[in-house]
Structure formats: structure tokens, C-alpha cells
DNA sequence: TCTTAAATTTAGACAAGGCTAAAAATAAAA
DNA sequence: TTTTATTTTTAGCCTTGTCTAAATTTAAGA
């Protein structure tokens, strides 16, 4: 069993590894954890003792298989709770992070299994990020930006890239939410604008909007 | 904002106050918290500094209005989460305590307000205990044991007294759950057994069972 | 009332996590 | 290849919450 602090470190290192490949530096961890490098060194040494990461002085750290699995499980919980908050409690996509940050540390396998079922075994969280399975595996995702689609292609909205209140309200107005099917009817190459179909409605969207919506093509 | 440990102490003292009236002793707190009296002394002094309880050396402690409100709020969260776990995730009544014990410490007013609404503003948790409102007020409860009812009386099942697996399975078989209406058709005084009506079914129950079911009469 | 027992508090210590300041190692620049 | 700058680690200290052992207060019994 890992403490709240340990879980947060593992999660942070997991995310850093997926961005810049290679060993993760102490300073990088300190930055995302909003803490001091000296504190990171202490914790990283402790986690190395626990075999969830390998650590070479002055060289950085990388997760072991067990560490990666543990981290993925915390992320799984975080994202499932986010789905709950948005789908069931009707929070907006951009309001749920801090609450999920707390909920992700509740320990109960059974709870997460039942929550997963209750939510209909979702594959993506409200930001379009994939939800790892119980073993920590992440389905290779087909997620792309709407702006990457071409005429006649279609997919399902799985999230937003950067969410702000105005944008979310726009989506509400247009009846676009997680799971909404979107088809590209036309695309202008000189400005990247599109005409799309959502439900029975067809309308124009700017490149800026198309670049902010994640679509799963399948 | 109170720490996890502080919230647990407040909750424990709240429960102790409601049982034995008068100041709560250090040893009593240590017992229910499964900790040492010396640790209790430390914490109680800290909480007194924070004005959530009044403390007189060697004499015991009692919650201030603010402390009582804070405690009631933690209990409110605990019980709402229990309703969620049973009603939505289909846990059994006796499996939810430990999980709710963790969930109750998630900090977000908005979360609890929405959860409350999602659950349909329940008045009782799955054990039949009343759920305090946002201000910490507990409706004077009409809860009694089924065994206290007499012929021709009726009420709604709001919980169980002592739950064990066998008993919960029995209730399942008889289709008795939270919210089930139960009417007393007959009662034998020499052994306390009853004939009751549940839905369209009428059947016999022993005194032992009647003494283990909480009923809200109204 | 005097003495013993029980309850409570104080003193000192420890583990988890974090911080600051100083030392050491690595990387970059001249 | 030195010198300088950056990164990382070490050492020592702090807070929270807990514990043990010893001291103190209150309660109970003779």
C-alpha cells in the first residue's frame, strides 16, 4: 500500500516519462510536484527502496514495471472519478480535476470495479484521455484533434484540449459532449475552418475550435 | 479546513456526546479512536486552540457549536456516500463503512451538494441513521425497531441494526430493502413474532428479526 | 482522613514529508 | 582543459500525529 504522497510522486513520474523519454530528472519532478528538489531526492530514494522505480544518483529515475502499474492504477481511478463527476453529477469538464485528485486516493479495488461498471466501462475521461485497465494497460489510442480530420471523415468526441468556460458553454449550445458523433462535411484549407454535422445540425466552425476538440476515429 | 485526523476526532467526540451526555473523557475518546490517551490529550488541546471544543484539564471535553457543526458535516458526507455505495454501486449495507470512512474526507461543498441531489436528497443512510443537513441539523427521527410496532401499524424500512451476511441475504430473499413499506398484520405477544406484509407478500417473522429492522413511521 | 488505584497529562522520542543552506557532481563555456 | 554555471544531493531542522515512560491529579476504599 502506498501513501498519498507516494502515489502522487508515482503519478507525476509516469506522466513525465510519457512525455520526454529517458530517465526523469529530479528538477522536472520538483517542478510538476511544486516542491523542492531536495524533497524529491528523499522521496525518490524511498520509492527506489520499495522497488517501484530505479534511481541512479545524479542521473534520474525511471519506473519499474510495478511502479508503472501502480501509477497507471492511480490514473485509472482519477479518470473514472472524472467520468462520474461529469456524467452523473453534471459537473463541467474543467471543474473536476481537483476533486478527482482527492478521490483517486481512496483505496478499494471493489469500489473501482463497481464504479467502472456503473459508468458503463468508459474508455476515455472527460478530457479525452484514455482510462487504463485494471492491469495498467492503456489501449493504443486513436485520439486525434478534430482539425486533423479531412472531409467525409467522422468520429466521436472524446474530450477537449484546453477547456475554458466560454468554450464549454459554446459546446453546450451546440450540443457537443463526450460521445457525440461528429462528421466533417467540408474543410477549407486556407484557414482550416470546417463545416461539420452534429446530430441533425450542420454548422461552421473555425480552425481554433477544431484544434481544441479531441476525436476518436475508429 | 481540518486535517483528516482532526475530522476523525471531531466525529468520534460527536458520537460520544450523543450517547453519554456530559463532558467526554479522554479515555473514552482513546478507546473509540483506537489510540493512546496521551495522543488524545495532545489532539484535544490542539482542537481547543482552534475553538471547536472546550477542554478542561482532567475534566474532559465538549464540542462547541462550531465543532458540532463540523462533525455533523463529516457525518453527513459519510452517510451520503454510504447511500451512493448501496443505491448506485449495489454494495451491501455491511460493506460500505470502510470506504465511506475514506470518502467522507474529500473536501468539496459542491461535490456533496450535487451528490445529495443525485441521490434524491435522502434522509437516512443504509443503516437507518439520519443524514444531517448542510447546517449540521439532524431531523428529530421517528426511527424505531419493527418490533416496537403494533398490529395495523406500518412504516418504511430505513435500515438494519446489526447487519451480518445471513441476515442481509434473508432480506434480499424477502425483497426488503431501504424504502420498502412494511405493515404489521399481526403480532403474538408471548414470543414477539409477527405477520407482516411486504409488497403483495405476507409472511411470518420472528422477534429476532423484528428487533433488527429499523422502521420510520410517519 | 489516609492510602491506593485509576485516569490524565507531561516529557521526550520517532516516522513521514517537507524546507533551507551548504556541499558535491555534472554540464557548459571560454 | 580550466572555469563557471547548473543540477542534485546531503545535513540539519520543522510540523503533524503518534508512542512510551514517568509524573500528576482525581476517585475510591479502608
Amino acid at each position: 500500500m502506498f501513501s498519498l504522497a507516494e502515489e502522487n510522486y508515482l503519478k507525476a513520474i509516469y506522466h513525465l516519462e510519457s512525455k520526454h523519454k529517458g530517465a526523469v530528472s529530479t528538477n522536472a519532478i520538483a517542478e510538476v510536484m511544486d516542491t523542492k528538489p531536495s524533497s524529491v531526492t528523499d522521496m525518490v530514494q524511498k520509492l527506489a527502496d520499495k522497488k517501484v522505480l530505479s534511481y541512479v544518483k545524479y542521473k534520474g529515475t525511471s519506473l519499474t514495471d510495478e511502479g508503472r502499474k501502480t501509477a497507471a492504477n492511480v490514473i485509472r481511478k482519477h479518470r473514472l472519478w472524472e467520468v462520474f463527476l461529469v456524467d452523473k453529477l453534471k459537473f463541467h469538464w474543467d471543474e473536476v480535476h481537483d476533486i478527482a485528485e482527492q478521490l483517486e486516493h481512496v483505496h478499494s479495488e471493489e469500489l473501482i470495479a463497481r464504479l467502472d461498471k456503473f459508468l458503463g466501462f468508459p474508455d476515455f475521461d472527460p478530457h479525452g484521455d484514455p482510462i487504463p485497465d485494471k492491469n495498467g494497460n492503456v489501449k493504443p489510442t486513436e485520439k486525434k484533434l478534430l482539425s486533423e480530420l479531412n472531409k467525409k471523415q467522422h468520429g466521436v468526441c472524446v474530450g477537449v484540449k484546453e477547456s475554458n468556460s466560454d468554450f464549454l458553454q459554446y459546446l453546450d449550445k451546440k450540443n457537443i459532449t463526450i460521445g457525440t458523433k461528429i462528421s466533417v462535411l467540408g474543410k477549407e484549407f486556407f484557414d482550416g475552418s470546417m463545416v461539420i454535422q452534429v446530430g441533425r445540425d450542420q454548422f461552421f466552425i473555425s480552425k481554433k475550435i477544431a484544434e481544441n476538440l479531441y476525436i476518436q476515429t475508429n
Side-chain angles (χ1 to χ4, degrees), chain A residues 26-42:
Chain A
T26 300
N27 268 9
I29 300 171
E31 166 130 17
V32 302
M33 296 282 300
D34 194 27
T35 184
K36 301 293 168 187
S38 54
S39 305
V40 173
T41 300
D42 286 348

Side-chain angles (χ1 to χ4, degrees), chain A residues 82 86 92-97 125-129 159-171 178 208 211-214:
Chain A
E82 284 198 342
V86 169
H92 270 301
W93 301 355
D94 59 342
E95 301 173 316
V96 296
H97 188 269
D125 79 6
H127 303 96
D129 296 312
V160 294
K161 190 172 174 192
E162 285 179 33
S163 55
N164 63 64
S165 227
D166 284 348
F167 183 59
L168 294 175
Q169 270 182 268
Y170 171 82
L171 295 180
I178 309 283
K208 185 159 181 179
E211 282 176 331
N212 212 7
L213 270 179
Y214 283 120

Side-chain angles (χ1 to χ4, degrees), chain A residues 145-157 174-177 179-187 193-205 210 213-217:
Chain A
L145 292 172
L146 176 54
S147 57
E148 296 174 62
L149 297 196
N150 288 311
K151 199 171 164 175
K152 293 192 179 165
Q153 289 190 294
H154 59 87
V156 172
C157 172
K174 295 298 195 182
N175 284 311
I176 297 174
T177 182
T180 301
K181 183 179 172 184
I182 297 178
S183 306
V184 178
L185 302 177
K187 186 174 182 180
S193 66
M194 292 176 158
V195 174
I196 63 174
Q197 170 139 15
V198 174
R200 281 160 226 77
D201 298 332
Q202 300 182 356
F203 50 89
F204 168 91
I205 62 169
L213 270 179
Y214 283 120
I215 300 296
Q216 190 194 8
T217 61

